[in-house]
Amino acid sequence: MKSVSLACGGGGAEMNALINDVIFKCFDNEILRQSNDGALLDFGSKKLVFTTDSFVVNPIFFAGGDIGKIAACGSINDIAMMGAKPLYLSCALIIEEGFELANLERILCSLASAAKDAGLCVVCGDTKVVPKGACDGIFINTSAIGFLLDESLPASTKRLKSASPEKKIKILLSGDIGRHGAALLASRHGLQSLLSSDCAALDAVVKSLYNAGVRPLAMRDATRGGLSAVLHEWARVRGGIEVCEEKVAVSAEVMGVCELLGFEAYELANEGTFVLAVSEDESQIALKVLKEFNLAAQIIGEFCTDFKGVRLKNIYGSKRFLDEPKGELLPRIC
C-alpha cells in the first residue's frame, strides 16, 4: 500500500493494516497495542479512561440523528465499552466557509442534548474555519474521559486474551444489526425507507450490567465494519468464534437494503448496538439486562478452540466461515 484509500477508513482489513503497519509503528507503546476503544491510564489511586474520535458522516443530517448526536454518542460509547462511566466531553469543530449558522446551531444543540442525557457536559474545545472546498461542511472531533465502574475488572481485549483457556465464554449482541449503515445507504441512494439509525448512547445499559453483577471480559460497539469486524478482531485475540445465525437479529428493512445494493448485514455499521463477551455463568444475567433495553438482544455464539476465524451456523446445522470485511465498505459512515 503506497497511498491511503477510502477503504483504509472502512473498518475492515485495510484499516487494520493502516493502523498496525503505519500508525502503531510511529506511536508504538503498551497502551496503544491493547487496541481498545479507549486508553486505560493508571494514576495510582485512580484509573482513568480516555478516548478521542473524529466524525465526518455524510449526510450530516440522517434519519435517527445527525453529526452532532453521533459525535457525542460515539465518544460516550467508547468510554462505556471500557466498563467506565463517561464524565466529561470536549468538542473541536472544523467548519467550511459558508456553512449555515442555523445548521451549526442545530448540530451543536443535538450534541449538547445527547451529552446532557448521559450526564456529561462539554468542558473544552476548539473551532477552525477553512476556505470553501477545503472541508465538506463540518467535521467534528470529540474526546471523553471517565472512571471505571469496577477498577479491578476493566473490559478490555487484554482481559479477554488472558482469561483461562478452559473458561467457556459466550458472546452477546445488544440488539439488531446494520440499521445505521442501511439508513445512510438508503438516504444516499434516494430509497424510500422507514429505516432510522440506531444512534444512541450506551452508558446506561453498561451501568445496568455492572449493577447486576456482570463483569464483561470485553465489549465493543459495532461501528465501522459492523458485527463482522468485532468478531474477527476478537477471533485474532483468542481463537475461533461460532455464531448461531438465527440468533442475530436483522430487520426486514435492513435485509431489503442489503439485497438491493449487495451488502452484507454483518458488515454494516451500528451506532447504538454493541457486542460483549462474558463468562458462561454470567451470560443469562447479562441477557436479562440487555433485553430490558432491547428485546432483540441475544446470546449469539461462543469462543471455540478447534478452529480459527469466525464461523456461522444456520438453523439447519450447516456452517460457513464469515469473511473479514475488506475493500471500500461504506465511507463517511460516522
Side-chain angles (χ1 to χ4, degrees):
M1 181 173 65
K2 294 185 178 180
S3 63
V4 177
S5 68
L6 281 174
C8 294
E14 292 86 352
M15 189 177 82
N16 287 330
L18 177 67
I19 291 172
N20 292 316
D21 299 341
V22 180
I23 297 173
F24 277 12
K25 184 173 70 175
C26 295
F27 298 143
D28 185 44
N29 61 69
E30 183 181 350
I31 297 172
L32 267 183
R33 284 195 299 270
Q34 293 179 25
S35 298
N36 290 312
D37 275 320
L40 180 59
L41 307 176
D42 193 341
F43 288 90
S45 61
K46 207 74 176 173
K47 291 184 175 67
L48 179 75
V49 178
F50 172 69
T51 189
T52 189
D53 218 335
S54 297
F55 298 87
V56 298
V57 63
N58 179 37
I60 57 175
F61 299 104
F62 51 86
D66 56 49
I67 193 171
K69 181 180 180 181
I70 203 173
C73 291
S75 287
I76 290 167
N77 292 347
D78 281 351
I79 295 291
M81 291 300 98
M82 292 290 291
K85 174 180 172 53
L87 295 173
Y88 300 103
L89 198 68
S90 75
C91 173
L93 307 172
I94 299 176
I95 310 169
E96 184 182 28
E97 175 191 18
F99 194 75
E100 292 187 13
L101 284 178
N103 284 338
L104 177 60
E105 186 170 354
R106 177 182 170 187
I107 288 165
L108 296 182
C109 286
S110 179
L111 193 158
S113 177
K116 183 179 179 181
D117 288 346
L120 288 80
C121 57
V122 176
V123 294
C124 61
D126 182 52
T127 303
K128 295 291 189 296
V129 178
V130 297
K132 192 78 172 176
C135 163
D136 189 3
I138 183 171
F139 297 154
I140 300 179
N141 173 276
T142 51
S143 298
I145 59 172
F147 291 121
L148 290 176
L149 294 166
D150 183 340
E151 290 205 356
S152 64
L153 295 171
S156 67
T157 53
K158 182 178 181 180
R159 186 162 171 243
L160 177 63
K161 184 177 182 179
S162 63
S164 169
E166 291 77 30
K167 192 179 188 70
K168 199 160 189 178
I169 298 174
K170 297 290 186 179
I171 298 172
L172 289 82
L173 184 62
S174 72
D176 58 315
I177 63 169
R179 281 199 286 129
H180 179 70
L184 263 66
L185 273 170
S187 175
R188 291 177 187 179
H189 288 270
L191 302 177
Q192 295 297 317
S193 173
L194 298 175
L195 273 170
S196 63
S197 170
D198 63 338
C199 182
L202 296 167
D203 58 306
V205 61
V206 170
K207 183 178 179 181
S208 292
L209 285 168
Y210 276 74
N211 286 344
V214 177
R215 295 296 181 267
L217 295 167
M219 294 186 285
R220 186 78 92 201
D221 52 339
T223 54
R224 288 174 296 174
L227 174 61
S228 178
V230 176
L231 295 177
H232 278 94
E233 178 187 346
W234 286 357
R236 285 192 293 271
V237 169
R238 191 174 172 86
I241 293 174
E242 183 163 276
V243 172
C244 297
E245 285 198 90
E246 72 271 18
K247 298 293 186 180
V248 179
V250 186
S251 72
E253 293 83 4
V254 170
M255 286 302 300
V257 170
C258 288
E259 290 170 3
L260 187 62
L261 300 176
F263 281 84
E264 167 66 76
Y266 285 88
E267 296 181 358
L268 288 182
N270 313 269
E271 290 295 339
T273 301
F274 70 107
V275 195
L276 60 159
V278 303
S279 61
E280 185 178 33
D281 57 344
E282 293 182 354
S283 59
Q284 290 300 325
I285 301 171
L287 180 60
K288 182 180 178 182
V289 172
L290 293 180
K291 282 189 173 290
E292 291 173 0
F293 289 83
N294 192 325
L295 291 175
Q298 285 288 353
I299 298 172
I300 63 167
E302 62 184 19
F303 283 90
C304 302
T305 58
D306 57 336
F307 65 91
K308 293 184 178 181
V310 180
R311 191 169 69 186
L312 306 179
K313 181 175 70 174
N314 67 21
I315 196 169
Y316 305 107
S318 297
K319 300 176 182 180
R320 67 179 177 95
F321 279 93
L322 179 66
D323 290 333
E324 183 176 6
K326 290 182 175 68
E328 186 183 320
L329 300 174
L330 191 59
R332 311 245 338 244
I333 203 74
C334 59

